[in-house]
């Protein structure tokens, strides 16, 4: 039964089988007369069932109407059935036979001479001489042939008997009773008039003729079958290419000596001079292929390992730079030969192969915090209970000996100077500065720490300190000509001390926390458009409740502070737009978001904390920082350390003693600071002398003031333990579980968490907005984003399964609607799709006109297909749905689409329906190549754009066979009269 719901080319392949047959009477309906044997076909006919009846067809070799068939006598024609000797008709066929002394050729029609001498010397005692259709024996000197024509007799010297060498008989000598001798001839010969010589006739060896022999008075005369020509020897017949292609497998050429066979490229002519044998090119130097060689009939195909692509010479393999594709990695992409890897910024972890999600550090042993832990995007912070303050290690809490001050010392000061319409802003940070490792077009600077909120349900924007409120604000500026770069300032004076000419020209604000983030992205429009730079500034200032007076309530005081900050921000915006935003960070003067005048326009600038090495931007390693004066990475000096890459400053070791005693530059961790307590030890201030964590406690970090208890009265195997895994639990918990110190049992990690290690007392929260399908998960790879992916545009777009290219989640449903502009149609390419193989099609992807199951369906699958496929929508708009059940999941899919002018429908259909589009692995790889598919879409969507690609560009992008396919179709469509 034909299914018209299949995709277009399958429908086309089935179309002939779907064509209705001619109507005919067929009682009763549904009866197969041929199978039931109730047809009236002749015994030499074939019965063929039809939808409405049946029909009879005479077998090959018979003629008639099917109900009455008679044998065809193939021998009864002027060509004798093409047999050169004898033709014998048989029922339904015929057979060629040859005369004695000949054998049937491989073509079944021609007759070739049998070389009798090749077998046992033809039975001759001395010499055997082969002749056309026969042979003859000959004797050596001094012998003559006996009557049996095979053995030889020694000649006598005297007498006239047959034993005498001069008896004169050509063939047989017979002695007469009276002592005389008479001559006779072998069968097939006649005695000549001289009664001694013998004349050959057609009865012996066909008269020496290969085909036809006619006796004449002067002897046999040879002729050839009408489809052969006579050789110059007058006996042999030469094949011509008109007969069975001269017996040649491939190319036949007539010559004066007969046919000459030749073979096309990729084949070699065998010893018979007729047969062509395929050459296995892969046996010789792997066919010249870099990686894999697969022999084909008459040719061969090269292919590459995964992660490589075949170049246009169709032999060389080149690494695919996946990092050059759009949307490959959320953060940083590292290309490797044949592969790639995604890495995430600090504070994020990788999931779904390419995606980065915020780490909830607080779910990992409470973030190491002694009191409370608050997760933030990309980081976290520890908080202390009232009357405690955070230790220098930012994890422990120490008791405050006196009441806290009304204001926490400001970490940053922003001063903006207005002078004659020229605005300048200066940011001075009085604490250590952190910067996110710089990409080419992004940086992030953080000064101070955000004040922790009391509660999400409490009063808005209130801090934990009852006497202090926090005023928060953020704004985003568009920098017209600036770049995302922090570089050494060219100012020759201490700009942090600059003052305006008048008091009202200076705006002065103190902040406890500042975060400045900059990102650049390509501008809208065509390729090569200038990048747009956006700088986001977040500020936090503290407002003391003691500032509230009878005439101005707390709300009034807040509004005044917010108004003052807005005024400052307006000035800051103007200063940024004029590239007059400067900063003093960790004692260094820097320009923020300013374009470098020394940077070549042709060379892309490196990001913050990066240097150029061998033409590539590389982040300064941990233990170093970027020195703007030297424009290179420098080791952190004694008394400092740096745990992150791509930084512009180093962290100062805590405590004056550690700074004085540290003698090693380039420290990467705080524990390298001399005097800091190592993991497994503690002291009152985190510095030496230190005590080992007592039995029943552990400490994984350095510089701590206490150790964590195992809980549940558990003890450790020895003092100085560094992890909970050293606590002697009653049972050993496997991955996917956490140890409950109250019940002393292993508890499965709940949905949305995982635990990859043995013997832990916590489960790690899934990164970002991901979750797990089930409880008891053991790896972050089981954390999946449930959001349906894709971008839907009027001209191009794509859809992708949730969490792609990682496995999609269970029990998910996605729906997309593609509604192209008027007079445009939809073209879809499915490079590959991975769905679990299940009998009940639990996971499926369907594309149809609407949500109605009865609407026109374009595509539907519930299986994995690694071969690409392209097709046009059967409806002007598409409703697409993807569903997964609770069973196994898979990688899923990313399916791009393009809309095109419906005037080109015929051309697009002609291309995607052509089997040559998918004929080779090379063509299939084009439909999987994200860069090439964009170029292909450009041509398929707007065929006239084909001519904007030069011949050289086309050769570098596509193999020759692909170019020929497109060129012929596009040129024929656009220029039909050329």
């Amino acid at each position: 039964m034909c299914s018209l719901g299949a995709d277009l080319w399958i429908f086309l392949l089935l179309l002939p089988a779907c064509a209705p047959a001619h109507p005919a009477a067929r009682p009763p309906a549904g009866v197969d007369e041929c199978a039931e044997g109730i047809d009236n076909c002749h015994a030499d006919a074939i019965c063929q069932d039809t939808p409405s009846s049946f029909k009879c067809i005479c077998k090959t070799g018979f003629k008639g109407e099917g109900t009455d068939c008679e044998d065809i006598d193939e021998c009864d024609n002027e060509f004798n059935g093409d047999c050169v000797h004898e033709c014998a008709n048989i029922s339904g066929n015929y057979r060629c036979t040859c005369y004695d002394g000949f054998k049937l050729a491989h073509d079944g029609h021609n007759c070739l001479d049998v070389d009798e001498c090749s077998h046992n010397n033809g039975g001759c005692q001395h010499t055997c001489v082969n002749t056309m259709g026969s042979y003859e024996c000959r004797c050596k000197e001094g012998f003559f042939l006996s009557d049996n024509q095979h053995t030889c007799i020694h000649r006598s010297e005297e007498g006239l008997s047959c034993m005498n060498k001069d008896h004169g008989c050509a063939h047989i000598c017979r002695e007469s009773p009276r002592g005389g001798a008479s001559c006779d001839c072998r069968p097939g010969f006649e005695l000549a008039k001289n009664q001694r010589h013998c004349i050959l006739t057609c009865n012996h060896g066909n008269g020496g003729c290969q085909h036809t022999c006619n006796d004449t008075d002067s002897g046999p005369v040879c002729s050839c079958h009408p489809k052969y020509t006579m050789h110059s020897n007058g006996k042999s017949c030469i094949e011509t290419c008109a007969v069975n292609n001269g017996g040649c497998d491939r190319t036949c050429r007539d010559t004066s000596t007969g046919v000459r066979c030749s073979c096309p490229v990729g084949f070699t002519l065998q010893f018979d001079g007729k047969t062509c044998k395929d050459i296995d090119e892969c046996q010789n130097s792997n066919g010249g292929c870099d990686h894999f060689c697969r022999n084909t009939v008459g040719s061969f195909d090269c292919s590459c390992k995964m992660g490589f692509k075949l170049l246009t010479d169709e032999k060389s393999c080149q690494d695919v730079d996946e990092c050059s594709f759009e949307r490959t990695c959320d953060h940083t992409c590292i290309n490797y030969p044949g592969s790639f890897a995604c890495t995430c910024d600090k504070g994020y972890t990788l999931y779904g192969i390419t995606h980065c999600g915020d780490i909830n550090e607080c779910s990992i042993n409470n973030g190491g915090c002694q009191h409370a832990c608050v997760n933030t995007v990309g980081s976290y912070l520890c908080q202390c209970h009232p009357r405690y303050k955070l230790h220098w290690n930012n994890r422990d809490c120490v008791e405050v000996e006196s009441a806290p001050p009304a204001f926490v010392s400001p970490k940053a000061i922003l001063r903006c100077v207005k002078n004659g319409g020229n605005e300048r802003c200066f940011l001075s940070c009085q604490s250590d500065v952190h910067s996110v490792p710089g990409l080419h077009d992004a940086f992030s600077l953080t000064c101070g720490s955000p004040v922790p909120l009391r509660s999400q349900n409490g009063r808005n924007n209130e801090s934990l300190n009852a006497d202090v409120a926090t005023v928060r604000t953020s704004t985003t500026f568009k920098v017209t000509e600036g770049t995302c770069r922090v570089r050494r300032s060219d100012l020759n004076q201490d700009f942090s001390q600059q003052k305006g000419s008048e008091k009202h020209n200076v705006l002065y604000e103190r902040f406890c926390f500042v975060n400045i983030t900059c990102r650049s992205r390509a501008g809208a429009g065509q390729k090569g458009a200038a990048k747009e730079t956006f700088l986001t500034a977040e500020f936090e200032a503290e407002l003391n409740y003691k500032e509230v007076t009878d005439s101005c309530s707390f709300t009034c005081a807040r509004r005044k502070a917010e108004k003052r900050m807005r005024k400052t921000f307006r000035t800051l915006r103007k200063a940024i737009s004029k590239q007059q935003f400067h900063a003093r960070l960790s004692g260094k003067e820097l320009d923020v978001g300013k374009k470098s005048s020394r940077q070549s326009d042709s060379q892309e600038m490196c990001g913050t904390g990066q240097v150029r090495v061998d033409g590539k931007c590389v982040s300064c390693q941990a233990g170093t920082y970027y020195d703007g004066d030297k424009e290179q990475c420098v080791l952190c000096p004694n008394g400092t350390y740096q745990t992150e890459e791509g930084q512009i400053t180093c962290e100062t070791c805590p405590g004056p003693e550690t700074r004085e005693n540290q003698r090693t530059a380039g420290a990467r961790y705080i524990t390298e600071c001399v005097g800091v307590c190592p993991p497994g030890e503690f002291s009152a201030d985190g510095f030496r002398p230190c005590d080992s964590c007592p039995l029943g406690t552990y400490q994984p970090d350095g510089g701590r003031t206490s150790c964590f208890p195992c809980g549940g009265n558990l003890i450790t195997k020895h003092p100085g333990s560094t992890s909970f895994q050293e606590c002697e639990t009653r049972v050993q918990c496997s991955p996917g579980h956490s140890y409950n110190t109250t019940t002393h049992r292993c508890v499965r990690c709940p949905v949305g968490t995982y635990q990859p290690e043995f013997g832990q007392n916590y489960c790690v929260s899934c990164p970002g907005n991901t979750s797990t399908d089930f409880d008891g998960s053991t790896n972050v790879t089981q954390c999946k984003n449930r959001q349906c992916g894709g971008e839907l545009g009027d001209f191009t777009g794509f859809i992708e399964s949730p969490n792609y290219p990682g496995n999609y989640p269970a029990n998910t449903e996605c729906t997309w609607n593609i509604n192209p502009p008027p007079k445009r149609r939809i073209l879809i390419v499915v490079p590959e799709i991975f769905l679990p193989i299940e009998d009940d099609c639990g996971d499926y992807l369907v594309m149809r006109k609407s949500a109605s199951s009865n609407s026109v369906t374009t595509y539907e699958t519930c299986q994995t297909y690694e071969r690409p496929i392209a097709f046009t929508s059967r409806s002007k708009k598409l409703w697409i749905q993807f569903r997964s059940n609770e069973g196994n999941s898979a990688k899923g899919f990313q399916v791009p689409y393009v809309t095109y002018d419906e005037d080109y429908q015929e051309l697009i259909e002609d291309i995607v329906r052509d089997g040559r589009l998918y004929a080779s692995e090379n063509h299939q790889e084009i439909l999987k190549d994200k860069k090439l598919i964009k170029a292909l879409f450009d041509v398929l969507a707007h065929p006239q754009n084909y001519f904007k690609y030069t011949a050289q560009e086309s050769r570098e992008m596509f193999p020759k066979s692909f170019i020929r396919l497109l060129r012929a179709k596009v040129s024929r469509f656009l220029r039909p009269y050329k």
Side-chain angles (χ1 to χ4, degrees):
M1 181 177 180
C2 297
S3 172
L4 300 183
D7 35 53
L8 288 177
W9 47 87
I10 294 180
F11 165 68
L12 288 174
L13 292 174
L14 295 178
L15 190 58
C18 297
H22 294 292
R26 184 181 181 178
V31 175
D32 186 345
E33 294 87 348
C34 299
E36 296 292 336
I38 59 176
D39 60 275
N40 61 344
C41 296
H42 190 268
D44 293 320
I46 298 174
C47 179
Q48 186 179 69
D49 187 45
T50 65
S52 58
S53 182
F54 68 95
K55 60 181 178 180
C56 302
I57 303 173
C58 290
K59 298 177 182 178
T60 303
F62 295 87
K63 60 183 178 180
E65 298 297 327
T67 55
D68 183 18
C69 299
E70 62 176 304
D71 176 57
I72 299 174
D73 186 356
E74 293 86 355
C75 300
D76 187 18
N77 56 59
E78 60 178 322
F79 297 111
N80 193 37
D82 286 340
C83 300
V84 298
H85 283 181
E86 294 179 340
C87 179
N89 185 59
I90 58 177
S91 179
N93 208 335
Y94 70 103
R95 182 182 298 115
C96 296
T97 59
C98 297
Y99 304 142
D100 291 340
F102 293 87
K103 63 181 179 180
L104 201 63
H106 291 298
D107 62 6
H109 294 81
N110 194 16
C111 290
L112 305 177
D113 171 59
V114 174
D115 185 1
E116 294 87 351
C117 297
S118 63
H119 179 67
N120 196 27
N121 198 37
C124 300
Q125 183 178 0
H126 286 179
T127 304
C128 180
V129 178
N130 185 59
T131 61
M132 178 67 70
S134 185
Y135 72 103
E136 62 181 48
C137 297
R138 295 178 183 176
C139 297
K140 299 177 182 178
E141 184 69 24
F143 293 82
F144 65 92
L145 202 62
S146 68
D147 291 349
N148 62 22
Q149 301 300 305
H150 286 81
T151 59
C152 294
I153 301 173
H154 189 271
R155 296 179 184 273
S156 65
E157 299 294 333
E158 297 179 356
L160 295 176
S161 69
C162 292
M163 299 300 293
N164 190 290
K165 64 177 181 179
D166 296 324
H167 60 68
C169 295
H171 284 183
I172 302 171
C173 178
R174 301 186 186 278
E175 293 183 358
S176 64
R178 298 177 181 181
S182 63
C183 297
D184 198 0
C185 295
R186 296 196 300 270
F189 289 82
E190 293 181 352
L191 194 62
K193 292 180 179 181
N194 62 12
Q195 298 298 307
R196 289 187 178 187
H197 295 162
C198 293
I199 301 173
L200 177 67
T201 68
C202 294
N203 292 328
H204 178 80
N206 198 36
C209 302
Q210 182 179 358
H211 284 184
T212 305
C213 178
N214 296 304
D215 286 314
T216 66
D217 292 340
S218 58
V221 175
C222 300
S223 62
C224 293
H225 188 277
K227 293 187 177 180
Y228 292 77
T229 60
M230 180 64 69
H231 190 274
S232 58
N233 61 18
K235 294 183 178 182
S236 303
C237 294
I238 301 174
E239 291 178 301
T240 64
C241 296
V243 181
N244 195 30
N245 196 40
C248 301
D249 265 3
R250 295 302 176 93
T251 305
C252 178
R253 183 167 60 90
D254 287 314
T255 67
S256 59
T257 57
V259 298
R260 178 168 296 177
C261 302
S262 60
C263 300
V265 176
F267 293 85
T268 181
L269 193 64
Q270 297 301 286
F271 293 113
D272 63 3
K274 306 263 186 177
T275 308
C276 292
K277 182 181 179 181
D278 172 57
I279 298 174
D280 187 352
E281 296 86 352
C282 299
Q283 296 295 322
N284 183 17
S285 301
N286 198 39
C289 302
D290 271 2
H291 291 176
F292 305 121
C293 180
R294 182 176 65 89
N295 187 54
T296 60
V297 178
S299 185
F300 67 101
D301 285 332
C302 296
S303 59
C304 301
K305 300 174 183 176
M306 185 174 293
F308 292 82
K309 66 178 181 179
L310 199 66
L311 297 183
T312 52
D313 65 3
E314 301 190 14
K315 290 187 177 182
S316 305
C317 292
Q318 183 184 68
D319 171 57
V320 175
D321 185 2
E322 294 87 355
C323 298
S324 64
F325 301 156
E326 294 180 358
R327 304 182 298 271
T328 299
C329 298
D330 284 356
H331 287 180
T332 303
C333 181
I334 304 173
N335 187 58
Y336 297 107
S339 183
F340 73 100
C342 296
T343 60
C344 299
D345 297 341
K346 185 178 181 181
Y348 294 82
T349 190
L350 196 67
Y351 73 90
I353 303 176
T354 64
H355 303 293
C356 294
D358 170 57
I359 300 174
N360 184 359
E361 293 88 350
C362 297
S363 68
I364 307 173
N365 198 28
N366 196 41
C369 300
Q370 186 177 19
H371 288 182
C373 179
V374 177
N375 186 56
T376 61
V377 178
S379 185
Y380 74 105
L381 54 89
C382 297
Q383 294 180 352
C384 298
H385 300 321
R387 302 300 174 181
Y388 286 83
K389 67 178 181 180
L390 207 59
H391 188 259
W392 62 262
N393 60 27
N394 291 323
R395 288 179 174 83
D396 289 320
C397 294
V398 294
E399 189 172 3
V400 179
E401 297 179 359
S402 59
F407 285 94
V408 176
S409 176
K411 304 296 183 184
I413 298 174
L414 178 67
R415 177 186 287 109
C416 292
V417 179
K418 301 169 62 177
N419 186 6
N422 295 322
E423 291 79 6
R424 274 186 168 185
C425 286
F426 312 99
L427 177 68
S428 177
C429 186
Q430 300 177 1
S431 66
D432 294 329
V433 178
H434 302 269
S435 66
V436 173
L439 302 175
H440 293 302
D441 303 307
F443 73 78
S444 179
L445 299 176
T446 302
C447 183
S449 300
V451 178
L453 296 178
R454 176 180 297 172
S455 171
Q456 292 291 339
N457 298 324
R459 185 163 55 181
N460 187 34
N461 288 346
E462 289 188 13
S463 66
L464 292 175
N465 193 331
D467 297 325
V468 179
T470 302
V471 179
R472 290 180 170 85
T473 186
S474 65
T475 184
T476 299
F477 309 105
K478 181 177 179 181
V479 185
T480 305
E481 296 183 357
T483 59
C484 286
R485 183 171 172 81
V486 177
R487 66 180 186 87
R488 182 173 57 86
S489 177
D490 295 330
L491 295 179
N492 296 323
Q493 55 180 321
D494 186 357
F495 55 72
S496 63
Q497 301 299 322
Q498 287 188 359
K499 298 181 180 179
S501 57
E502 296 182 16
K503 184 176 181 180
H504 67 272
N505 287 334
V506 178
L507 302 176
Y508 186 88
E509 289 291 341
R510 296 175 181 267
F511 300 100
C512 59
F513 170 73
V514 174
N515 178 262
I516 300 172
T517 303
C518 183
R519 291 192 179 275
S520 295
R521 66 185 184 206
Q526 297 182 351
K527 182 179 179 181
K531 290 186 176 181
E532 297 177 341
T533 301
F534 296 88
L535 192 146
T536 300
E538 299 177 71
F539 293 89
E540 290 186 7
E542 294 182 344
L543 177 65
N544 198 320
Y545 283 97
K546 294 180 180 180
E547 293 186 2
V548 177
T549 62
D550 294 338
S551 61
C552 185
S553 63
F554 174 77
T555 302
C556 168
R558 175 186 291 278
R559 288 177 178 173
K560 285 185 177 181
E562 291 174 345
K563 182 178 180 181
R564 189 169 63 250
M565 290 178 68
R566 287 196 296 270
K567 182 178 180 181
T568 302
F569 275 5
R570 285 195 295 269
T571 305
L572 178 61
R573 181 189 299 273
K574 295 179 181 179
I576 290 175
S577 66
K578 297 176 182 178
Q579 301 182 41
Q580 292 295 329
F581 184 26
H582 314 284
R584 173 184 283 254
L585 305 177
S586 298
K588 298 182 182 296
E589 286 76 22
L590 304 169
D591 290 334
V592 180
K594 187 172 182 179
K595 186 175 182 180
S596 175
S597 59
R598 292 176 294 177
Q599 186 70 37
S600 171
D601 293 336
S602 61
Q603 190 177 50
E604 186 178 15
M605 291 186 298
C606 291
T608 301
Q610 291 186 325
V611 293
R612 190 172 294 277
V613 179
D614 296 332
K616 295 183 179 180
C617 292
V618 179
S619 296
C620 293
Q621 297 180 350
T624 68
Y625 72 99
Y626 178 76
D627 189 315
D629 295 329
K630 300 179 180 178
E631 295 187 347
Q632 63 184 25
C633 299
V634 178
L635 290 175
C636 289
N638 295 343
T640 65
Y641 68 97
Q642 182 52 261
T643 61
E644 302 177 29
E645 294 182 349
Q647 299 300 308
I648 58 174
T649 62
C650 293
E651 305 281 358
T652 302
C653 285
E657 181 180 351
T658 62
R659 292 194 291 271
E660 293 173 0
N661 295 335
Q662 184 182 359
R663 304 186 185 282
T664 303
R668 296 177 174 228
Y669 306 101
I670 190 174
T671 52
E672 295 182 57
C673 296
V674 177
V676 175
C677 291
E681 298 182 7
F682 73 102
S683 68
D685 57 4
F687 298 113
R688 293 177 178 174
C690 311
D691 295 323
S692 296
C693 291
L695 292 175
T697 65
Y698 63 95
Q699 180 52 257
D701 301 320
R704 298 301 296 264
T705 63
S706 62
C707 297
F708 296 111
C710 291
N713 296 321
L714 300 177
I715 63 171
T716 53
K717 299 176 182 178
H718 50 75
S721 296
T722 59
S723 70
F724 177 80
Q725 291 165 314
E726 298 179 60
C727 299
E728 294 187 321
T729 57
R730 297 181 185 178
V731 291
Q732 175 77 352
C733 293
S734 60
H737 298 76
S738 64
Y739 187 84
N740 188 310
T741 56
T742 301
T743 63
H744 295 286
R745 293 183 178 180
C746 296
V747 180
R748 290 175 66 85
C749 290
V751 172
T753 66
Y754 66 97
Q755 177 51 258
E757 299 178 2
F758 284 91
Q760 286 291 7
N761 62 338
Y762 63 88
C763 293
V764 184
S765 295
C766 282
N769 297 321
T770 64
S771 184
T772 58
D773 291 335
F774 309 101
D775 61 357
S777 296
T778 60
N779 197 286
V780 69
T781 57
Q782 295 171 271
C783 298
K784 303 172 184 178
N785 192 329
R786 302 190 65 87
Q787 183 177 358
C788 302
E791 295 178 4
L792 305 182
D794 286 343
F795 296 94
T796 60
F798 70 96
I799 63 169
E800 67 180 16
S801 52
N803 205 55
Y804 184 87
N807 287 358
Y808 54 78
N811 296 312
T812 188
E813 179 178 333
C814 296
T815 302
W816 301 272
N817 287 281
I818 302 178
N819 296 306
K823 296 185 177 181
R824 295 190 73 82
R825 303 298 296 266
I826 307 170
L827 171 67
I828 301 164
V829 173
V830 182
E832 56 186 8
I833 182 169
F834 297 90
L835 302 176
I837 300 176
E838 298 179 355
D839 293 337
D840 57 353
C841 280
D843 301 353
Y844 68 87
L845 175 68
V846 62
M847 303 180 186
R848 53 177 178 250
K849 183 178 181 180
S850 67
S852 172
S853 59
N854 296 324
S855 62
V856 177
T857 300
T858 293
Y859 178 81
E860 185 170 9
T861 185
C862 59
Q863 295 182 355
T864 291
Y865 291 99
E866 297 189 51
R867 288 172 59 94
I869 191 172
F871 52 90
T872 56
S873 172
R874 299 179 62 195
S875 53
K876 290 189 176 182
K877 60 181 181 178
L878 274 182
W879 176 87
I880 305 174
Q881 186 182 65
F882 168 67
R883 273 191 176 183
S884 66
N885 62 8
E886 70 282 355
N888 297 328
S889 68
K891 179 180 177 180
F893 54 86
Q894 185 183 79
V895 177
Y897 73 88
V898 63
T899 66
Y900 58 91
D901 194 313
E902 63 182 14
D903 290 341
Y904 300 113
Q905 174 78 0
E906 180 182 348
L907 171 63
I908 304 303
E909 293 283 359
D910 186 26
I911 294 175
V912 300
R913 291 178 179 179
D914 196 316
R916 290 175 293 174
L917 186 63
Y918 323 97
S920 67
E921 291 184 12
N922 299 343
H923 289 186
Q924 294 173 29
E925 289 303 317
I926 291 174
L927 298 179
K928 291 185 178 183
D929 191 310
K930 294 183 178 180
K931 282 188 174 180
L932 295 183
I933 203 68
K934 289 184 65 177
L936 189 61
F937 271 11
D938 188 31
V939 175
L940 295 179
H942 307 288
Q944 65 273 19
N945 287 351
Y946 168 80
F947 298 102
K948 77 178 183 181
Y949 293 98
T950 65
Q952 180 65 25
E953 289 174 328
S954 298
R955 284 193 295 269
E956 292 175 353
M957 292 169 63
F958 302 105
K960 296 178 181 178
S961 57
F962 200 85
I963 295 174
R964 287 195 298 266
L965 173 65
L966 290 186
R967 179 185 291 131
K969 293 183 179 296
V970 175
S971 299
R972 184 169 60 248
F973 181 82
L974 295 180
R975 300 181 293 184
Y977 302 107
K978 288 190 177 182

